[in-house]
Amino acid sequence: MNELWVLIKYIFLGLVQGFTEPIPISSSGHLVLLRDLFDVGPDGLTFEIMVNFGSLIAVLLIYRKDIIRLIQNGFRFIVSKDPDAKSDFQFILFLVIATIPTGIIGVLFEDKIGDLSTASTVGITLLVTGVALWVIRNLRGKKNDGQITVKDALIVGLAQSVALIPGISRSGATIVAAMLVGMKQETALRFSFLLYIPVSLGVTILSVGDIVNDENFNALLIPNILAFMASIIASFYALKWFMNVMARGNLKYFAFYCFIVGILVILFM
């Protein structure tokens, strides 16, 4: 019976993480709340690494055409300086630039960020996320992929680093920053989730040692695999849904959600 409960718990947590990762309500924040409310949390680091990798696979599947085009045109510009490929080459550079702040801040403040994984922190940061989403709810930028600047990339990258704090949504922070610097909704969405790829991939690679040394690795191999699969499925459909929500300009509903949950957490947890 206990083994069945563990399987159900990990599938549930994988679905929660997978669904909340692409949408601007903070996956890490929700996992903290589940842990504190119901004492439902994963054992060991392997779970977090695998479910994030699951979300990465979902993003790769959805944006595979953009990724292939960027890689092809990036190499083409490097080899032949084809002016038609310059925009995509610059887009790749801007993704690299935007990744740097997160990497530096994550390494320097890893321990302090871990100390913030509390319900009270999540309640406050959900309110911050809600305010940010409310501010940009009616914005309609003009910048497309070819009009992004180094300054824009750095601002979005800094916003992503702020999202290391539980309760600050990574997708929300980067999309808010991208739209504040004038990107179109479609461009902001694409930049945000393509930016997720190097960050998530880097974390996964750097965490291989943690997986190998996880004392619960063998005992929880099947539960973690099920959570990984649940995360792929949930992230895929959540991102598809969120893309439609963005196209209709309905970000205000996510702001309402963050306000309600944030206030409830502050009052009762």
Side-chain angles (χ1 to χ4, degrees), residues 20 23-30 121-137 159 162-177 180 242 251-262:
T20 54
I23 61 180
I25 60 173
S26 178
S27 60
S28 60
H30 278 72
T121 299
V122 172
I124 295 169
T125 51
L126 280 175
L127 293 181
V128 173
T129 297
V131 170
L133 292 172
W134 183 258
V135 167
I136 66 158
R137 69 192 187 281
V162 173
L164 292 170
I165 302 171
I168 300 290
S169 164
R170 192 213 66 85
S171 63
T174 51
I175 288 171
V176 165
L180 284 175
F242 183 50
L251 284 174
K252 62 183 179 182
Y253 297 112
F254 293 109
F256 293 149
Y257 176 86
C258 289
F259 289 144
I260 293 169
V261 175

Side-chain angles (χ1 to χ4, degrees), residues 127-196:
L127 293 181
V128 173
T129 297
V131 170
L133 292 172
W134 183 258
V135 167
I136 66 158
R137 69 192 187 281
N138 295 321
L139 286 184
R140 298 293 182 272
K142 297 181 180 180
K143 292 181 180 179
N144 56 33
D145 293 11
Q147 296 172 308
I148 299 173
T149 66
V150 172
K151 180 182 176 181
D152 296 339
L154 283 173
I155 290 173
V156 175
L158 287 170
Q160 179 171 249
S161 64
V162 173
L164 292 170
I165 302 171
I168 300 290
S169 164
R170 192 213 66 85
S171 63
T174 51
I175 288 171
V176 165
M179 293 181 67
L180 284 175
V181 298
M183 292 188 203
K184 294 179 179 178
Q185 287 183 327
E186 181 183 353
T187 301
L189 191 67
R190 182 164 50 251
F191 193 85
S192 171
F193 284 101
L194 290 178
L195 181 58
Y196 176 71

Side-chain angles (χ1 to χ4, degrees), residues 198-249:
V199 172
S200 180
L201 190 60
V203 169
T204 301
I205 293 171
L206 292 174
S207 301
V208 170
D210 293 325
I211 294 177
V212 173
N213 295 320
D214 188 346
E215 60 183 15
N216 296 308
F217 179 79
N218 291 326
L220 295 174
L221 180 60
I222 299 302
N224 278 318
I225 290 175
L226 291 175
F228 166 72
M229 295 172 65
S231 177
I232 294 174
I233 296 169
S235 291
F236 183 88
Y237 287 105
L239 180 49
K240 283 284 190 180
W241 172 62
F242 183 50
M243 292 168 78
N244 290 329
V245 172
M246 280 285 291
R248 295 193 299 269

Side-chain angles (χ1 to χ4, degrees), residues 56-157:
L56 171 62
I57 289 177
V59 172
L60 291 173
L61 288 172
I62 290 174
Y63 283 100
R64 62 190 182 279
K65 292 182 180 178
D66 292 283
I67 295 167
I68 292 170
R69 189 197 72 246
L70 286 170
I71 293 173
Q72 290 176 337
N73 286 344
F75 277 115
R76 197 163 87 229
F77 183 79
I78 292 172
V79 173
S80 63
K81 295 297 185 291
D82 185 344
D84 292 333
K86 184 178 181 180
S87 176
D88 283 337
F89 175 75
Q90 288 180 327
F91 194 90
I92 295 171
L93 285 181
F94 294 145
L95 289 174
V96 173
I97 291 169
T99 303
I100 294 172
T102 306
I104 294 174
I105 293 174
V107 170
L108 292 178
F109 300 101
E110 181 179 2
D111 293 335
K112 291 184 179 180
I113 291 170
D115 293 338
L116 295 174
S117 294
T118 63
S120 57
T121 299
V122 172
I124 295 169
T125 51
L126 280 175
L127 293 181
V128 173
T129 297
V131 170
L133 292 172
W134 183 258
V135 167
I136 66 158
R137 69 192 187 281
N138 295 321
L139 286 184
R140 298 293 182 272
K142 297 181 180 180
K143 292 181 180 179
N144 56 33
D145 293 11
Q147 296 172 308
I148 299 173
T149 66
V150 172
K151 180 182 176 181
D152 296 339
L154 283 173
I155 290 173
V156 175

Side-chain angles (χ1 to χ4, degrees), residues 36-48:
D36 288 7
L37 271 174
F38 306 111
D39 194 24
V40 177
D43 301 304
L45 295 171
T46 303
F47 168 84
E48 184 177 346

